[in-house]
Amino acid sequence: LTLLFGLASINTLTVISVTRYIKGCHPERGHCISNSSMSVALVLIWVAAFFWSAAPLLGWGSYTDRMYGTCEIDWAKANFSTIYKSYIISIFICCFFLPVTVMVFSYVSIINTVKLSHALTGLGDPTDRQRRIERDVTRVSIVICTAFIIAWSPYAVISIWSAYGHPVPNLTSILASLFAKSASFYNPIIYFGMSSKFRKDIFILFHC
């Protein structure tokens, strides 16, 4: 369940970055983002998360007790089995490297598009409102990408490190796991604190 919800969170962040990329960089394709397409995206998010978290239960990969109240993927077994190693490498690429690449590409493209549009329309002298919008988009994008990478990179690194037979201290493993699992907690806080549109939508949703 821990892996399932963690992967669902990663997939959700990736889909959010793609939808923002389409809206910000290709507004002519904005019609592609509809209730039906978002429903399909939500289904795919959970199907992918379920696939990767259920695979060890079916023999591709393995879980182990980490002795601090949770079970996680048994990275060390990759030393003794090609099947286990293939699972770890696959989940690292598909569930960490590719999402990070997509998010970085999406947000960098958004930042560049906003700057370019202001350079073309503002003639080098953007208004205060334009500067504020550009600053907010840039800030939120950088914080989201940075927070994701900070949260999940230590866990991904020690996982690959363990998979290739190198010992990892228990405290290091615990801290890396807590860091990764904290992403689901602080991500909504980032949006709420830095996005006025998100706050307005929340207030409308709860009739505040």
Side-chain angles (χ1 to χ4, degrees):
L1 289 175
T2 300
L3 183 62
L4 173 67
F5 293 130
L7 294 179
S9 176
I10 294 172
N11 294 341
T12 301
L13 292 178
T14 306
V15 171
I16 289 173
S17 70
V18 172
T19 56
R20 293 191 64 188
Y21 168 76
I22 294 174
K23 287 282 191 178
C25 301
H26 299 283
E28 71 280 0
R29 299 181 183 176
H31 65 276
C32 297
I33 302 176
S34 60
N35 289 338
S36 59
S37 63
M38 288 298 96
S39 297
V40 172
L42 287 172
V43 170
L44 293 177
I45 284 171
W46 286 97
V47 167
F50 182 80
F51 169 79
W52 289 107
S53 58
L57 303 178
L58 302 176
W60 190 32
S62 176
Y63 287 114
T64 186
D65 183 7
R66 289 301 187 193
M67 304 304 293
Y68 49 85
T70 185
C71 69
E72 296 177 0
I73 295 173
D74 191 348
W75 311 102
K77 277 192 175 180
N79 294 310
F80 314 105
S81 172
T82 303
I83 295 177
Y84 292 148
K85 181 171 289 187
S86 67
Y87 172 76
I88 291 172
I89 293 175
S90 298
I91 198 172
F92 175 79
I93 294 174
C94 297
C95 299
F96 177 76
F97 180 76
L98 288 180
V100 167
T101 302
V102 170
M103 280 188 279
V104 170
F105 171 79
S106 298
Y107 288 123
V108 168
S109 298
I110 292 171
I111 293 170
N112 291 336
T113 299
V114 170
K115 288 183 177 180
L116 179 61
S117 64
H118 290 167
L120 293 175
T121 59
L123 299 177
D125 186 24
T127 64
D128 290 339
R129 181 175 180 275
Q130 288 175 327
R131 282 194 293 266
R132 186 170 61 254
I133 292 174
E134 180 176 342
R135 184 177 64 250
D136 290 345
V137 171
T138 303
R139 184 176 57 179
V140 172
S141 301
I142 291 175
V143 169
I144 289 173
C145 283
T146 303
F148 176 87
I149 294 172
I150 290 176
W152 284 99
S153 290
Y155 188 73
V157 169
I158 69 165
S159 300
I160 293 295
W161 186 261
S162 299
Y164 281 91
H166 303 290
V168 176
N170 286 335
L171 181 59
T172 302
S173 178
I174 293 172
L175 292 177
S177 298
L178 291 176
F179 242 66
K181 294 164 188 175
S182 69
S184 299
F185 168 74
Y186 61 68
N187 215 52
I189 295 178
I190 293 174
Y191 271 102
F192 189 85
M194 302 185 68
S195 174
S196 59
K197 184 179 185 304
F198 185 82
R199 287 196 299 271
K200 292 177 182 177
D201 290 342
I202 289 293
F203 293 151
I204 292 173
L205 180 65
F206 291 102
H207 305 289
C208 295

